[in-house]
Amino acid sequence: DIEYFKEIHLISTESLQKLKEDLSALIDKLEELATTGYHPNGSKVDIFISHTNLGTAYSYIDAVDQQLCFIKLQEMNVITSHNEILFENMKRWADSMKRFSILISQSADIYRYKFFRQQREYVNKL
């Protein structure tokens, strides 16, 4: 999407540079989380990579005091639900996708290295 907006001149050179810096910082932070397997607050973090395009339309949060699920609609709108049945179905679906994914948090060093190197290459090409 960034390349498209750049091509049609909706992103200035300065904005593109800032986006690249922000994306690079995000990649660094995600790599740190994947390497240690823990957030700085002590929470365990599991990061998976997959060759299957899972999209970003569905996500959930399973916290100590709250369970939420999110469904993205038309790129900009999100439905947030506290419904337990919807949450459990979404969690079960996400868990089933783990069978087709590689855990890179505290494991699979070669895959983790290659994945983050590739992400940095994508950003550098922008």
Side-chain angles (χ1 to χ4, degrees), residues 29 33 38-45:
K29 184 64 177 170
L33 290 173
Y38 288 90
H39 187 274
N41 70 8
S43 299
K44 183 158 177 40
V45 175

Side-chain angles (χ1 to χ4, degrees), residues 63-100:
V64 173
D65 59 343
Q66 196 171 59
Q67 295 176 327
L68 295 167
C69 56
F70 307 93
I71 302 170
K72 186 163 76 169
L73 304 170
Q74 300 173 346
E75 295 301 318
M76 298 297 286
N77 300 308
V78 176
I79 294 174
T80 303
S81 176
H82 295 271
N83 182 284
E84 289 180 33
I85 294 169
L86 183 59
F87 172 83
E88 287 301 324
N89 285 332
M90 192 172 291
K91 186 174 186 301
R92 192 172 19 261
W93 172 80
D95 286 343
S96 74
M97 291 295 103
K98 291 177 185 178
R99 292 184 18 228
F100 307 104

Side-chain angles (χ1 to χ4, degrees), residues 3 7 33 37 47 49-51 60 64 74 76 94 102 110-111:
E3 288 179 342
E7 288 177 16
L33 290 173
I47 298 175
I49 56 174
S50 175
H51 294 292
Y60 71 88
V64 173
Q74 300 173 346
M76 298 297 286
I102 299 169
I110 293 171
Y111 289 103

